[in-house]
Amino acid sequence: KAGVTQTPRYLIKTRGQQVTLSCSPISGHRSVSWYQQTPGQGLQFLFEYFSETQRNKGNFPGRFSGRQFSNSRSEMNVSTLELGDSALYLCASSLVGGIDTGELFFGEGSRLTVL
Amino acid sequence: DAKTTQPTSMDCAEGRAANLPCNHSTISGNEYVYWYRQIHSQGPQYIIHGLKNNETNEMASLIITEDRKSSTLILPHATLRDTAVYYCIVRVASSSNTGKLIFGQGTTLQVKP
């Protein structure tokens, strides 16, 4: 069974540009969440999508957005990049239905460097 | 979600049991304790979770005190591959927030030969 796949794995952008990251969840998983990890702030929750709808959102500015497609694949977008957006962006999927086990499956992340 | 407190770092000798403590004194009755770990340059990995009873799986054991204000994750025979940051998370299990975890700073476990 394939795991969570994130693309691209590495990318470099310059300030003011925008970036789109992609996440393919585990087959059958309907919830996709995004996290940002930096050395200073650690792992922070960005948002969660379920059935193409954002249902939870972390404390990030509007420059951070996302969407989910009918096949549960998700993308996140960061516009007007700032140096502080340099981070590892992690995607996680979970199986929704029945009892919530709290088990998320994480991808290996997309490492974004903003110059 | 209740807040958790973990030691910043711990060492453990290879082959010995690693006992990682977590304090969650403000935990509510419907909040579970979850443990994840993150090996360098990888995404976090789920280890185990529990409500009030002790739990064991193929990776670890989770011991929750009777008052539920603290817990201990036990790796029975630590190997070098267990070197990682371990996160203790407390949250309500709900079908409406399955993807939301609030991570603290975690405990960096260094397993030494």
Side-chain angles (χ1 to χ4, degrees):
Chain A
K1 192 174 186 181
V4 177
T5 304
Q6 292 188 245
T7 57
R9 290 292 314 280
Y10 303 90
L11 66 166
I12 300 173
K13 294 285 187 179
T14 57
R15 280 179 297 176
Q17 286 187 311
Q18 65 130 22
V19 66
T20 299
L21 309 178
S22 179
C23 173
S24 293
I26 291 173
S27 177
H29 284 195
R30 298 165 62 195
S31 165
V32 174
S33 302
W34 289 89
Y35 290 79
Q36 181 197 65
Q37 185 170 29
T38 60
Q41 299 298 317
L43 269 161
Q44 293 185 284
F45 172 76
L46 277 158
F47 30 63
E48 177 190 9
Y49 285 87
F50 172 70
S51 292
E52 302 177 62
T53 301
Q54 185 183 95
R55 66 176 185 178
N56 284 295
K57 188 176 189 304
N59 188 26
F60 279 83
R63 299 185 298 107
F64 292 81
S65 63
R67 59 178 175 168
Q68 186 180 34
F69 302 95
S70 59
N71 61 358
S72 293
R73 191 177 69 84
S74 177
E75 290 181 346
M76 69 161 283
N77 183 278
V78 188
S79 62
T80 320
L81 285 167
E82 301 176 359
L83 295 179
D85 297 333
S86 294
L88 180 67
Y89 290 89
L90 290 157
C91 168
S93 73
S94 61
L95 184 64
V96 179
I99 297 175
D100 170 27
T101 65
E103 183 173 3
L104 302 189
F105 296 83
F106 284 83
E108 298 208 340
S110 293
R111 184 165 295 281
L112 170 65
T113 301
V114 181
L115 303 177
Chain B
D1 294 328
K3 187 174 179 178
T4 63
T5 304
Q6 300 178 252
T8 302
S9 63
M10 295 181 63
D11 290 342
C12 177
E14 188 178 19
R16 304 297 293 269
N19 296 283
L20 292 93
C22 179
N23 285 319
H24 30 79
S25 59
T26 60
I27 192 170
S28 299
N30 61 347
E31 289 182 310
Y32 286 71
V33 180
Y34 295 85
W35 284 85
Y36 278 75
R37 73 179 182 184
Q38 186 175 24
I39 297 170
H40 184 61
S41 298
Q42 297 182 20
Q45 176 190 25
Y46 166 85
I47 301 173
I48 198 167
H49 78 282
L51 182 62
K52 54 178 135 179
N53 298 321
N54 298 338
E55 301 288 345
T56 295
N57 63 20
E58 65 278 3
M59 288 183 67
S61 294
L62 173 61
I63 308 298
I64 302 174
T65 58
E66 193 168 339
D67 63 7
R68 303 207 326 121
K69 293 185 177 182
S70 66
S71 60
T72 301
L73 178 74
I74 301 172
L75 307 178
H77 305 287
T79 71
L80 298 178
R81 288 175 294 183
D82 292 321
T83 293
V85 179
Y86 288 77
Y87 297 97
C88 171
I89 300 165
V90 172
R91 68 187 281 262
V92 175
S94 167
S95 59
S96 64
N97 70 339
T98 54
K100 183 178 179 181
L101 294 174
I102 306 300
F103 288 85
Q105 295 304 308
T107 296
T108 299
L109 174 68
Q110 182 73 48
V111 180
K112 299 186 174 181

